[in-house]
Amino acid sequence: MFRKVLVANRGEIAVRVMRACEELNVGTVAIYSEADRDSGHVRYADEAYNVGPARAADSYLDHEAVIEAARKADADAIHPGYGFLAENAEFASKVEAAEGITWIGPSSDAMESLGEKTKARTIMAEADVPIVPGTTEPVTDPEEVKAFGDEHGYPIAIKAEGGGGGRGMKVVWDESEVEDQLESAKREGEAYFDNPSVYLERYLEQPRHIEVQILADEHGNVRHLGERDCSLQRRHQKVIEEGPSAALTDELREKIGEAARRGVAAADYTNAGTVEFLVEEEPGRDGPLGPDANFYFLEVNTRIQVEHTVTEEITGIDIVKRQIGIAAGEEIDFDQDDVTFDGHAMEFRINAENAAEDFAPATGGTLETYDPPGGIGVRLDDALKQGDELVTDYDSMIAKLVVWGEDRDECIERSLRALREYEIEGIPTIIPFHRLMLTDEEFVASTHTTKYLDEELDQSRIEEAQQQWGSDTTGDGEDEETVEREFTVEVNGKRFEVELEEHGAPAIPTGDGGTGGTAASPPQPAGGDSGGPDIAGDGETVDAEMQGTILDIEVEEGDEVAAGDVLVVLEAMKMENDIVASQGGTVTEIAVEEDQSVDMGDTLVVLE
Ligand code: MV4
């Protein structure tokens, strides 16, 4: 076993990995950027090293700085978590080459061949794992796409060889779009993955997203730990994951699990991984999908995933501990038949976002109150404590609530209870959105597909949920003219909580620095402390959802726009994102210019 593991990550996953190390009596080393000096993962670790400035490219993504920290700490292994360097085959190979340091993950060779999508498809097809009908060779000529369309029909997906996880896919709905979409897919591939190579698949219109957890050791043993259903997604971001999938019969579950196992065995894969599948929905079905349903291999994620906790809860297997053991050369000590599934689990991503404002991430704030739920069946993975300042330089997920119940119904009731208990003040979170989903007919019946949130759910229901269950403090300074105080009074021996709300009044000094009165600071414009562009007007602001670069501005001041009109194009996370108006109005201000880089939360356009 290792002596000391460096965790090349931050936040909840860094703490998750360190907890596994603690139980194995292995020392823990954190790395941190300037923005994370006081963060939870730094507090948790035995020792911690500064690897550079807030910008991830200069710290968490700096190969040499990370390896240098491992050297200084005398760590004998590196665990990458998810995101950042976790799927970077080049970094993995540098760690493999570093004397005395072990990479906790699959070999860089396996990462590389599965990262190349036509290669992965070829490996799977040869192992008798169904792949989406399409090509296993790159296509370059529009005529090839049209020939494919003539044979298999439309729509067709054109995918980038180096893509994955929501990036680098174009859909062609009919022959007239072939030339444009092919060019666009090649351009994106070249720009984002340094690889203009693209291939084709039949585009499935109503897929469910099912993924299978795998563990494979260096002695040839491969086990699958069942599936997770990740169909509830918003713009390719998962929000709730669960297992087992309520949409599959045991027979279909078994078929998909065995296919995943065959596939990774054929790829000489080791350590933990996830095989993603699309499963074709049957419209109007009553009852789960049977063994004749179509399922297709999509891609392999060569890392621990955010939602691995769901599988841990229903199998009782500590996947992170197993990752560490496998990397240390241990053999898996259970058979496939020993893997059993008990009850039902759901994971709720607690993102610091306002769901009612198109899931706009918080631009700052302090956790005035942080009181997470507990009790039977409730697991909380986070790296926070009350009083922490929110770090907004990275992604907005601050915690994961994972709930187990004997069956899906109990899991839903328990989740509602836990979400009601979860008290967070000072920053917005999507807890109200989760409460809405747990009372939503489609989600509760588990008939939702990957399209549900983006195309079907009524936005006004999210707004209502936010009003009903959101905390008063949104963290963006909007409520600061309202002074609130909570009192506890007793009338005839019975306790009452009284909330006092005064508008436009001076702050009530509380003297205790506690949660009694809200801020005494003057009102600030939205995004006021983020260092972004200054905004004078008081219209509806359209903010950047993520850090990125402005590629194109599609409107001018004075333009009338309708809901859904594209305002600007933002390049972020290696994708071109259309920023659209959520409602109609007049453009009164454009706060950015082309090629400007913006931070998450910066105002882009003001509408009146
Ligand atoms: C697809 C598809 C339908 N047909 N491929 C999106 C992310 C990328 N890695 C694969 N994705 C998809 N590929 C074919 N042939 C639909 C999606 C897709 C999707 C997949 C999984 C989870 C959510 C999704 C949301 C939209 C589209």
Side-chain angles (χ1 to χ4, degrees):
M1 187 39 72
F2 304 114
R3 276 179 296 106
K4 210 191 249 190
V5 171
L6 179 139
V7 183
N9 216 298
R10 64 178 303 281
E12 69 85 20
I13 192 61
V15 170
R16 166 70 191 88
V17 174
M18 291 180 205
R19 283 180 164 146
C21 293
E22 280 288 317
E23 292 179 26
L24 294 166
N25 290 305
V26 169
T28 55
V29 183
I31 57 170
Y32 62 95
S33 72
E34 301 286 347
D36 271 330
R37 285 177 177 284
D38 303 316
S39 290
H41 72 286
V42 178
R43 291 195 292 262
Y44 194 95
D46 297 336
E47 51 189 303
Y49 293 81
N50 183 326
V51 289
R55 206 170 77 99
D58 301 329
S59 49
Y60 294 110
L61 294 174
D62 182 336
H63 299 190
E64 274 62 42
V66 174
I67 293 172
E68 169 72 12
R71 284 265 172 257
K72 275 197 225 157
D74 193 25
D76 53 358
I78 294 179
H79 192 303
Y82 54 69
F84 293 123
L85 296 169
E87 292 192 87
N88 189 313
E90 188 188 329
F91 179 69
S93 78
K94 285 182 190 169
V95 177
E96 286 167 350
E99 185 69 32
I101 306 178
T102 302
W103 169 249
I104 302 178
S107 70
S108 58
D109 286 345
M111 288 169 72
E112 205 171 297
S113 59
L114 291 171
E116 204 171 309
K117 302 301 161 188
T118 54
K119 207 182 256 180
R121 279 166 60 79
T122 304
I123 294 170
M124 294 298 151
E126 282 172 1
D128 222 8
V129 178
I131 58 174
V132 190
T135 64
T136 49
E137 296 291 334
V139 298
T140 51
D141 186 345
E143 292 312 314
E144 294 174 81
V145 183
K146 289 177 186 169
F148 184 84
D150 288 343
E151 193 184 335
H152 297 272
Y154 290 83
I156 300 170
I158 308 181
K159 295 189 172 187
E161 181 76 276
R167 308 186 313 192
M169 175 172 87
K170 297 283 165 194
V171 182
V172 189
W173 292 93
D174 64 61
E175 194 176 316
S176 69
E177 298 175 350
V178 165
E179 272 88 0
D180 284 357
Q181 294 291 60
L182 180 62
E183 273 319 301
S184 165
K186 286 186 198 168
R187 259 203 323 271
E188 266 197 23
E190 173 70 50
Y192 304 141
F193 315 112
D194 246 356
N195 185 352
S197 189
V198 298
Y199 65 99
L200 308 179
E201 286 181 0
R202 189 160 71 77
Y203 179 74
L204 311 175
E205 293 189 60
Q206 293 284 325
R208 287 186 80 87
H209 183 239
I210 302 290
E211 57 182 38
V212 178
Q213 178 70 52
I214 289 289
L215 281 177
D217 66 20
E218 290 163 0
H219 308 274
N221 301 298
V222 183
R223 307 285 179 262
H224 79 78
L225 306 186
E227 86 286 2
R228 299 180 285 259
D229 193 316
C230 306
S231 298
L232 201 73
Q233 306 208 353
R234 185 181 169 275
R235 303 193 187 160
H236 299 297
Q237 298 293 320
K238 296 166 186 165
V239 282
I240 302 176
E241 303 97 340
E242 61 181 308
S245 170
L248 312 184
T249 56
D250 282 342
E251 284 164 287
L252 182 58
R253 163 169 304 120
E254 172 78 14
K255 265 179 90 172
I256 299 178
E258 282 306 319
R261 218 178 141 196
R262 278 198 308 280
V264 300
D268 278 330
Y269 190 86
T270 54
N271 214 279
T274 299
V275 188
E276 294 190 353
F277 293 93
L278 292 179
V279 180
E280 224 161 14
E281 257 298 351
E282 287 162 10
R285 73 176 161 90
D286 54 354
L289 294 162
D292 295 333
N294 291 321
F295 68 90
Y296 304 104
F297 166 80
L298 200 55
E299 58 195 65
V300 180
N301 297 312
T302 59
R303 58 166 193 277
I304 189 81
Q305 286 191 288
V306 175
E307 60 272 23
H308 73 278
T309 58
V310 166
T311 302
E312 293 183 327
E313 294 304 305
I314 59 175
T315 61
I317 294 170
D318 184 328
I319 299 170
V320 175
K321 236 194 245 178
R322 294 283 172 176
Q323 283 192 292
I324 298 170
I326 287 169
E330 286 173 11
E331 191 167 355
I332 294 174
D333 59 359
F334 56 84
D335 293 331
Q336 186 61 55
D337 287 345
D338 298 331
V339 180
T340 53
F341 306 105
D342 187 20
H344 197 92
M346 287 187 179
E347 176 183 272
F348 301 88
R349 297 189 182 203
I350 308 301
N351 297 344
E353 297 169 357
N354 185 344
E357 285 181 13
D358 214 21
F359 291 77
T363 54
T366 304
L367 283 164
E368 307 284 356
T369 305
Y370 186 69
D371 194 1
I376 186 168
V378 173
R379 164 176 173 179
L380 219 113
D381 281 24
D382 65 12
L384 304 169
K385 68 172 170 33
Q386 184 158 304
D388 279 358
E389 288 282 329
L390 185 68
V391 176
T392 56
D393 299 75
Y394 313 101
D395 83 17
S396 60
M397 195 183 76
I398 58 167
K400 301 183 315 206
L401 169 65
V402 191
V403 178
W404 183 90
E406 279 186 45
D407 56 27
R408 193 166 186 265
D409 288 343
E410 185 181 58
C411 186
I412 288 175
E413 287 303 333
R414 188 169 281 163
S415 299
L416 278 167
R417 184 270 291 173
L419 288 162
R420 285 194 296 264
E421 281 179 17
Y422 211 149
E423 261 194 75
I424 301 181
E425 276 174 58
I427 57 167
T429 74
I430 62 170
I431 288 172
F433 170 82
H434 289 315
R435 293 176 66 173
L436 173 67
M437 283 302 106
L438 289 170
T439 53
D440 178 76
E441 223 174 283
E442 288 269 353
F443 181 77
V444 170
S446 207
T447 48
H448 60 287
T449 71
T450 55
K451 301 260 169 129
Y452 183 57
L453 294 183
D454 292 327
E455 294 180 15
E456 291 167 46
L457 183 72
D458 184 354
Q459 179 66 24
S460 67
R461 292 179 55 208
I462 300 180
E463 281 161 27
E464 270 170 42
Q466 193 68 33
Q467 282 206 322
Q468 194 173 352
W469 299 312
S471 76
D472 301 322
T473 29
T474 57
D476 57 8
E478 271 177 8
D479 290 338
E480 309 214 303
E481 282 165 82
T482 305
V483 174
E484 288 167 39
R485 270 198 108 168
E486 284 167 23
F487 298 91
T488 306
V489 296
E490 237 179 55
V491 181
N492 291 339
K494 182 171 181 189
R495 197 180 161 93
F496 293 87
E497 311 285 345
V498 179
E499 277 176 31
L500 179 75
E501 208 175 86
E502 224 180 329
H503 299 274
I508 303 165
T510 60
D512 60 6
T515 55
T518 353
S521 56
Q524 292 180 338
D529 61 358
S530 67
D534 288 336
I535 295 301
D538 57 359
E540 169 94 5
T541 66
V542 179
D543 302 336
E545 277 195 33
M546 38 199 157
Q547 190 190 48
T549 308
I550 303 298
L551 281 187
D552 196 17
I553 298 172
E554 309 255 325
V555 290
E556 289 177 14
E557 282 178 18
D559 281 0
E560 296 287 333
V561 296
D565 284 358
V566 178
L567 303 172
V568 300
V569 182
L570 176 71
E571 185 199 311
M573 315 229 312
K574 303 196 171 183
M575 268 206 326
E576 293 182 19
N577 301 276
D578 290 341
I579 310 295
V580 299
S582 59
Q583 49 195 333
T586 308
V587 176
T588 57
E589 195 165 344
I590 294 172
V592 291
E593 45 194 55
E594 277 175 28
D595 294 328
Q596 182 180 337
S597 62
V598 293
D599 278 332
M600 192 192 266
D602 283 355
T603 296
L604 307 175
V605 173
V606 183
L607 300 175
E608 209 128 296

